[in-house]
Amino acid sequence: MQCLQIYGEMWRKAVCSIPPYRPFSSSSATDIQTLYSFLQPSIFALKTNEQSKQPQDSTNSQTKTLTEEQKTTLQTTLEKSLLTHNTDEAWKSFKALTTCCTVPNMPLTNSLITHLSSLQDTQNLKRAFASVVFVIEKDPKLLSFETVTTLLNSMNCANTAAPAFALIKCMFRNRYFVPFGLWGNMLVDVSRKSGSLIAFLRVFEECCRIAIDEKLNYMKPDLAVCNAALECYCCELESVSDAEKVVATMSVLGVRPDESSFGFLSYLFALKGLEKKIDELEKLMVEFGFSNKRVFFNSLIGGYVKSGKIDSVSTTVLRSLREGNGKEWIFSDETHCEVVKGYLQNGAMKSLASLIIEAQKLESPMLEIDKSIGYGIISACINLGLADKAHSILDEMNAQSGSVGLGVYVPILKAYSKEHRTAEATQLIMDIGNSGLQLDAGMYDMLVEASMTSQDFQSAFTLFRDMRDARILDLKGSYLTIMTGLMENQRPELMAAFLDEVVEDPRIEVKTHDWNSIIHAFCKAGRLEDARRTFRRMTFLQFEPNDQTYLSLINGFVTAEKYFSVLMLWNEIKRKISGGKEKGINFDHNLVDAFLYALVKGGFFDAVMQVVEKSQEMKIFVDKWRYKQAFMEKHKKLKVSKLRRRSFRKMEALIAFKNWAGLNA
């Protein structure tokens, strides 16, 4: 209670009394013109006060009267039309009733207006508007608050501000007071959509007058609406006296301000150079218990920037850091953009660089990079499309022999990455390393990925070497990115060189499948000697080949018709599986099939039968048809008698194969 008393006293201290009531009876020419553009073609003709009396008399003398039976028929038709969603017929019945100065009963009237409001097209919105105005003028007790709110919400969705304000004025003029909480914030919303809050101010003032003078508490604007009025006077109209009147009104209504309220006022006072008022405002914030000054400082800076007071901007930024012990980041992205634009428009590039240098001295070493002043300002430059200015600020900081933190470098690196300027990014990382700073693994990963995407493989390798030299522990992400990228770009020779370079680094977990990727790529490209060389290197470093290794080699050799090489592979595998050393080898159907097909093609039937024997021993199903076809394609004219003269063993192997494959029949 004591706090509220202090609030009342201090809030009124520098303000005037509430402005006198300005009635809504008249409309400006602009309002009328906008409203007519909304209503054309008119549904109910709008009449000014001056024109209304005489035509009304003549109309009354010519007004048709409806019998009770006719009224009942029209209302029944209206009700049925609404039930069947026959909008035009319902409107026709309503017009017939209202032309004879008859309003349908309350449920029908509200149902019609709600139905018209829900259709979301301009014509029916006009009908709903005209209907509500007619009923308010005729008998407002027939309207429910919910119906009016529905119409206003539809107007908000349709972004039709002028009719919404016209409806509110009509309600006030006829003393039809719908609780402010049902429509106030919606009216603020539709005003914002129209691009200005100025039109809302008159409604705000009238609501305040009604709430105070007529003691209708339900017409009292809430805090959000009071802040909207403050925002308009402070940021749009830049009027100190009017803003202070709003403050006085809030005090009378008992609406307690929040951080945004103080923010709007601090912006205005900074813009006008009212330093004493800023001091009073800050003291009042403390008395209200607002310890977080984020909004206050952001608003101050915005006001100083707009007024061109660059020195005050620097003072405020550094003061905020001192008060937060360099730990609290309180500036928004919007504020950083305003600071950048303000300094650059005033040709104060050197001052901006100096501000970052001084801010870095006050910031805690534990502060996260993306929460530093340098990061915010450089990011703002880039987001504003002023990347060249970001470089200039960095150069100016170096020229001033100032310490350049990672917060300045990181946004530039991100911009390089996004634009795939990987060579420049790599050079900048060298500069960062030379200055004793170190990037985290995430930043390296991002740059490596950008390098691989733009096929700048040398930059990717350089970045990875720098990661290793910087003793970064997590190398897995960039390692996989490089290997995958080289694989996709069919560069097995670079994969082999890269793997050979990093294979002994304990931070990188090189596995057999990495070697398999290289061997597969070489075989696919027909570079079998390179595949063999990689295979030998792999086994020399004690990486055990697995079934995938052999499958890639077999397929490569078959494509090149090097069947003897397949025989050598079989002899190697045979020794392993015969000695019970099947490390990593899954001697499954795929491997059996690959060996049988290649060995049949090569005519090594002794080896073929060895594979068959092993497959039978391991109960692996074999489809003989494929090997019959291979034999017929390659060895159709091969005679057993010829083999008998050359080699008895080969003859036996051929007979055994033909018997197994069912070729003797």
Side-chain angles (χ1 to χ4, degrees), residues 269-341:
F269 294 160
L271 179 66
K272 300 295 183 180
L274 303 174
E275 297 299 327
K276 288 185 178 179
K277 286 187 178 289
I278 292 174
D279 293 339
E280 290 175 7
L281 201 62
E282 195 168 1
K283 290 175 185 175
L284 191 57
M285 283 186 68
V286 174
E287 294 189 27
F288 268 94
F290 296 125
S291 58
N292 189 331
K293 295 183 180 180
R294 178 187 175 97
V295 176
F296 176 74
F297 281 124
N298 276 282
S299 300
L300 272 184
I301 290 171
Y304 286 136
V305 167
K306 188 168 183 182
S307 62
K309 299 182 180 71
I310 299 303
D311 291 340
S312 296
V313 173
S314 296
T315 301
T316 304
V317 170
L318 297 177
R319 179 194 156 197
S320 70
L321 289 173
R322 290 190 191 96
E323 290 191 10
N325 295 319
K327 296 179 181 178
E328 187 180 4
W329 180 60
I330 61 172
F331 300 114
S332 65
D333 293 341
E334 183 182 355
T335 298
H336 283 122
C337 288
E338 288 177 353
V339 169
V340 168
K341 287 189 283 189

Side-chain angles (χ1 to χ4, degrees), residues 413-421 450:
L413 285 172
K414 286 184 176 180
Y416 280 148
S417 175
K418 189 175 181 180
E419 297 167 9
H420 299 294
R421 295 163 62 181

Side-chain angles (χ1 to χ4, degrees), residues 364-381:
S364 167
M366 304 303 293
L367 188 69
E368 294 178 30
I369 291 172
D370 60 351
K371 293 184 178 179
S372 66
I373 295 296
Y375 182 92
I377 288 174
I378 299 298
S379 294
C381 288

Side-chain angles (χ1 to χ4, degrees), residues 72-83:
T72 303
T73 301
L74 286 170
Q75 291 201 63
T76 302
T77 304
L78 173 58
E79 185 176 8
K80 288 180 179 178
S81 300
L82 288 173
L83 289 172

Side-chain angles (χ1 to χ4, degrees), residues 384-413:
L384 291 168
L386 303 171
D388 57 326
K389 299 296 182 184
H391 298 289
S392 299
I393 293 170
L394 174 58
D395 293 340
E396 181 59 38
M397 290 178 71
N398 286 321
Q400 293 182 23
S401 301
S403 172
V404 181
L406 279 176
V408 176
Y409 286 114
V410 167
I412 299 175
L413 285 172

Side-chain angles (χ1 to χ4, degrees), residues 638-655:
L638 183 62
K639 302 294 183 182
V640 174
S641 57
K642 289 183 180 180
L643 284 178
R644 185 180 292 119
R645 290 193 295 271
R646 295 179 193 171
S647 169
F648 184 75
R649 186 178 175 183
K650 286 184 179 180
M651 179 198 70
E652 285 187 326
L654 175 60
I655 293 171

